[in-house]
Amino acid sequence: MDKISSFFKKFGLGFVHAFTKNGARVNFVKLSKNRTALAFLLPITAIILSFILGSIVLALIGADPFKAITSMFQGAGFLPKARYGGGQNQFSDFMKLLNNATPLIFASLAVSVALSAGMFNIGISGVMVLSGFISSVLIGYSPLPAVVARPAVLIICLILGMGAGALVGFLKYKFNINEVVQAIMFNYTFMYITNYFIYKFFLNPETRSSVVVSDAARLTIADVKVGGVEIVVPLGFIVLIAVAVIVYIFLTRTKDGFEMRAVGLNPRCAEYVGISVKKNVILAMAISGALAGLAGATFYLGATNTIKPETLPSTGFDAIAVCLLGGSHPIGIFLASLLISGMTTGGAYMQARASVSTQVPSLIIGIMLIFAACTAFMRYYLQKMSLKVEDNLKKEGLL
């Protein structure tokens, strides 16, 4: 009994101390040194702030913020709707969300791998278009059965993306051509090349998009009945889980992954200790490109089954901020991608239920991504402030 009372007394004193001036300063210093905690707290802060600002905007335009945001999450499949159409329920909505989010998760992983080596891959959209188009022509318009066509689509997109990424990495190291400049040029080069061939040979005159691919080549199986409910089965998401695990193990548990991250932290130091900067720059961009190719496969032959000419998918650009919002960690990227995709998907239902324009979710997403882009600065600023606080605590003999 004495031990229990002693424990609660100690716990109570510690709890009270945490909210005193000195206790708060000590906890602030500890928090600023905890990278794992910051990796979760900063994105969560960005999300909360964006919803607060979004709620203010909704109130200013005369809408009910709670009803609007709730409706948006209901439309995404995060929350149950009041009623559903025939053969539909919350699970069917959530499966659609997974299907739409899969390309964004692949693209965000591509950004994360490139960043781990100190590279900035902004060419994901171009690789998506190129890989999606070539795999559509070679496989999507062929009579191949599904058992052959679907793996072939993934392999072709992976190889094309890997080749494009490795080329950017090689030109970066060999001729010191900035990878961002290269990627921007390749984005439009790939887009205009595919535009020409789509308009010349593969255009559907009614939809003004490319001819749809065969069902056998699609990475999404539609209208699958499970327990009387119709759902879509995103085959690309199954592949994504395996790929994400492999990428995480490679970066955190292998010698090559360690060397890649060492190059990203300090290339000169890495080269001094015998790590090949050239190999790791090319390898990082090759892996990043491969993931971008898989994003193209799951986007153009999964979430959609056609390519709209003269348009670069925003997925490749959104992935940069989503990667930052997710802390460049596979789990964080997965959750951030689901949130962003869900807000986009739920916009239509929010408009129907709360009479709010579908542009409002885009506005909230934009605010969120701006805050996400600021997380690196926020981390730097917190750590800088914590050094001053730590020095003061040491001078006062409290640390």
Side-chain angles (χ1 to χ4, degrees):
M1 194 71 181
D2 292 337
K3 290 183 178 180
I4 295 175
S5 61
S6 176
F7 169 78
F8 279 106
K9 183 178 180 181
K10 185 177 180 182
F11 175 79
L13 290 174
F15 182 80
V16 172
H17 176 70
F19 288 93
T20 63
K21 180 180 178 181
N22 291 333
R25 289 194 296 165
V26 172
N27 289 330
F28 173 71
V29 172
K30 291 180 179 178
L31 177 63
S32 65
K33 294 181 178 181
N34 191 329
R35 293 184 178 181
T36 303
L38 287 179
F40 284 95
L41 287 177
L42 290 178
I44 290 173
T45 302
I47 292 170
I48 292 173
L49 289 175
S50 63
F51 275 112
I52 291 173
L53 290 177
S55 298
I56 294 173
V57 172
L58 287 166
L60 290 174
I61 63 176
D64 182 348
F66 180 77
K67 182 179 181 181
I69 293 175
T70 301
S71 299
M72 180 175 63
F73 285 130
Q74 288 175 329
F78 292 131
L79 296 174
K81 297 176 183 176
R83 52 183 177 272
Y84 292 88
Q88 301 291 314
N89 64 7
Q90 184 181 354
F91 181 62
S92 59
D93 286 347
F94 186 74
M95 291 302 289
K96 291 177 184 177
L97 173 61
L98 286 184
N99 190 45
N100 293 330
T102 297
L104 182 59
I105 302 173
F106 268 124
S108 301
L109 287 174
V111 175
S112 177
V113 171
L115 286 177
S116 69
M119 302 286 284
F120 192 65
N121 189 357
I122 199 173
I124 294 171
S125 293
V127 173
M128 288 176 65
V129 170
L130 179 69
S131 60
F133 172 71
I134 293 180
S135 59
S136 295
V137 173
L138 296 180
I139 307 298
Y141 302 148
S142 71
L144 290 173
V147 68
V148 177
R150 286 171 179 149
V153 163
L154 293 170
I155 293 171
I156 289 173
C157 289
L158 186 147
I159 292 173
L160 288 170
M162 183 178 292
L167 176 61
V168 172
F170 173 78
L171 293 176
K172 165 69 175 180
Y173 181 83
K174 186 70 175 179
F175 304 104
N176 197 28
I177 304 175
N178 186 279
E179 72 273 15
V180 175
V181 175
Q182 290 188 64
I184 292 173
M185 301 297 286
F186 281 131
N187 275 345
Y188 289 98
T189 300
F190 294 153
M191 184 186 74
Y192 288 127
I193 289 173
T194 56
N195 285 349
Y196 171 79
F197 285 102
I198 289 174
Y199 281 127
K200 188 75 174 178
F201 303 106
F202 304 104
L203 184 68
N204 184 328
E206 295 181 358
T207 62
R208 303 302 296 175
S209 296
S210 66
V211 178
V212 297
V213 299
S214 66
D215 290 338
R218 283 199 68 182
L219 300 175
T220 298
I221 304 177
D223 301 329
V224 177
K225 290 189 176 181
V226 178
V229 177
E230 292 184 355
I231 64 171
V232 297
V233 179
L235 300 177
F237 182 75
I238 300 172
V239 177
L240 169 66
I241 296 173
V243 171
V245 171
I246 292 171
V247 169
Y248 179 75
I249 292 174
F250 172 78
L251 289 176
T252 61
R253 298 291 185 271
T254 66
K255 175 176 174 289
D256 288 337
F258 171 79
E259 290 183 352
M260 186 183 297
R261 288 185 290 119
V263 169
L265 292 172
N266 193 323
R268 289 187 178 181
C269 181
E271 192 169 27
Y272 180 78
V273 298
I275 297 175
S276 173
V277 175
K278 175 184 178 180
K279 183 197 82 171
N280 283 284
V281 165
I282 296 175
L283 178 62
M285 290 305 294
I287 296 174
S288 178
L291 292 168
L294 292 175
T298 52
F299 185 79
Y300 289 116
L301 293 96
T304 68
N305 60 348
T306 183
I307 300 174
K308 188 175 180 180
E310 301 182 12
T311 303
L312 285 170
S314 62
T315 303
F317 304 107
D318 294 341
I320 298 170
V322 170
C323 176
L324 295 176
L325 184 64
S328 292
H329 191 282
I331 296 177
I333 286 172
F334 172 75
L335 296 175
S337 298
L338 281 186
L339 177 62
I340 298 299
S341 297
M343 292 172 68
T344 303
T345 304
Y349 188 75
M350 183 184 72
Q351 184 180 36
R353 292 284 297 171
S355 300
V356 175
S357 171
T358 54
Q359 294 178 352
V360 172
S362 299
L363 174 63
I364 299 175
I365 291 171
I367 296 171
M368 190 181 298
L369 298 184
I370 289 173
F371 281 126
C374 295
T375 54
F377 169 76
M378 293 167 63
R379 184 181 291 107
Y380 165 77
Y381 183 76
L382 287 174
Q383 292 173 346
K384 183 179 178 180
M385 290 295 295
S386 71
L387 290 176
K388 294 181 180 180
V389 175
E390 186 176 7
D391 288 340
N392 291 332
L393 288 172
K394 288 181 178 178
K395 290 177 182 178
E396 297 170 15
L398 298 173
L399 194 64

